[in-house]
Amino acid sequence: MVIMTSSLTFMPVLERIAEEVERTPGRGRPADYIPALAAAELRRFGMAVAELDGTVYGVGDWRRPFSTQSLTKVFTLALDLAREGDELWEHVGREPSGNPFNSLVQLEYEHGIPRNPFINAGALVVTDRLQTRTGDAAGELLAFLRAESGNRSLDFDKEVAASEAAHGDRNAALAHFMASYRNIDNPVPVLLDQYFRQCSVTASCADLALATTFLARHGIRTDGTRLLTRSQAKQVNAVMLTCGTYDAAGDFAHRVGLPGKSGVGGGIIAVVPGRCALCVWSPGLDERGNSVAGVAALDRFTTLTGLSVF
């Protein structure tokens, strides 16, 4: 095992991981249920590590933009938690779901309160509450990502948003069901528009690793201001660890040992508290919706560096 002694050793580790991934035969399949993502090239791979001071290292397609999808749920959660604090947890839980990310089953048993903020129902609740507080949840998210990444060109992908809207009946059902329990404040069409725009943001591994470093800095943004209290940053990291990779969170914790959040665009962000943030991207997914090469790369990163929360 290679134990890291300085930031200069990041590049050899990343290069070794990229070489190993290149030799990996199986890469899964893209999210073909979203037509705009179905044509993704399976051999694409990028990985970036951002240190607390904004220094960023990368390999492969680390500067190539991709569809962030559910990765944005982490940032929307942080933005709303910063505004309303613990009141948020009265409307969404913090427990693993054990069911697919778009399941309706648990909502009925639990009276319209989603299990956690990262399944679709929970993310809809968080987006709804941020929309109530800002008037433009997706715009607030985009401004945050631009500021934290330093990339002012980040934007929504209209084609992806339209594709999700055209195939968004399950999300509409989730929203209407929660509205019947008075757990949604805004009109469902408004909420869905905000949610689909949020998921359509396009960004690179470099952008997302940099944008995630506020969680490695225990809630402090790149400009030195505090977004979250240290306790709130701990809450977000904890929910990422236990709920961030759909119903494979236990396996991810076992293999990787870091708070992480995946998206069906093939990206995964991860946090080493007090040290750095990472983003890896490869569009081929396993049956649970997580990037096959991405999980393997993060597994190798923590093995080679010894950087883990355990």
Side-chain angles (χ1 to χ4, degrees):
M1 179 183 292
V2 178
I3 301 298
M4 298 187 56
T5 57
S6 74
S7 62
L8 295 178
T9 59
F10 270 131
M11 277 310 300
V13 169
L14 294 180
E15 289 166 352
R16 178 173 171 179
I17 291 170
E19 291 172 2
E20 292 179 3
V21 168
E22 182 62 30
R23 295 194 299 268
T24 303
R27 293 285 188 93
R29 55 187 298 176
D32 51 9
Y33 60 91
I34 301 175
L37 302 182
E41 302 173 63
L42 290 182
R43 301 303 296 181
R44 292 286 182 184
F45 173 81
M47 188 172 185
V49 180
E51 296 190 296
L52 304 189
D53 64 359
T55 303
V56 62
Y57 308 85
V59 289
D61 298 306
W62 67 298
R63 292 197 178 278
R64 183 183 180 92
F66 64 92
S67 186
T68 56
Q69 294 294 308
S70 290
L71 301 186
T72 59
K73 295 174 181 178
V74 171
F75 307 105
T76 306
L77 172 63
L79 289 168
D80 187 72
L81 187 61
R83 284 168 170 79
E84 67 169 318
D86 286 347
E87 183 183 343
L88 169 63
W89 302 119
E90 298 175 12
H91 300 269
V92 61
R94 291 166 290 191
E95 297 294 337
S97 68
N99 283 311
F101 59 85
N102 59 356
S103 173
L104 279 157
V105 174
Q106 284 178 329
L107 277 179
E108 185 166 9
Y109 286 117
E110 297 174 359
H111 309 292
I113 304 295
R115 217 19 115 78
N116 66 68
F118 295 148
I119 56 175
N120 287 16
L124 284 164
V125 167
V126 174
T127 299
D128 176 67
R129 300 186 70 76
L130 186 61
Q131 175 68 14
T132 297
R133 282 154 183 77
T134 65
D136 184 7
E140 195 75 16
L141 164 72
L142 184 61
F144 179 83
L145 291 175
R146 285 175 172 174
E148 297 306 293
S149 68
N151 185 354
R152 306 302 301 179
S153 67
L154 294 185
D155 211 342
F156 306 112
D157 185 320
K158 293 181 180 179
E159 179 187 357
V160 171
S163 181
E164 297 216 40
H167 298 82
D169 291 337
R170 178 64 66 96
N171 286 317
L174 290 167
H176 281 294
F177 191 84
M178 291 186 294
S180 74
Y181 281 96
R182 301 181 183 273
N183 202 23
I184 295 293
D185 295 330
N186 294 279
V188 169
V190 171
L191 169 57
L192 292 174
D193 177 67
Q194 290 287 325
Y195 181 70
F196 295 141
R197 288 172 65 214
Q198 166 190 317
C199 291
S200 77
V201 172
T202 298
S204 69
C205 291
D207 297 325
L208 290 161
L210 286 166
T212 308
T213 54
F214 78 99
L215 288 172
R217 290 190 293 267
H218 307 293
I220 296 176
R221 299 183 60 169
T222 55
D223 63 3
T225 62
R226 181 170 286 282
L227 175 69
L228 300 175
T229 67
R230 192 179 182 97
S231 177
Q232 288 171 331
K234 179 189 71 175
Q235 290 174 19
V236 175
N237 280 329
V239 177
M240 288 174 68
L241 180 67
T242 58
C243 308
T245 47
Y246 310 120
D247 53 342
D251 184 64
F252 186 82
H254 176 83
R255 291 183 61 184
V256 176
L258 294 175
K261 180 71 192 84
S262 62
V264 296
I268 307 175
I269 54 176
V271 180
V272 184
R275 184 63 186 269
C276 63
L278 304 95
C279 180
V280 61
W281 170 63
S282 187
L285 309 179
D286 62 22
E287 66 279 2
R288 291 171 170 175
N290 300 311
S291 171
V292 173
V295 173
L298 290 170
D299 181 357
R300 291 300 288 151
F301 179 85
T302 54
T303 298
L304 292 170
T305 64
L307 294 175
S308 167
V309 298
F310 301 113

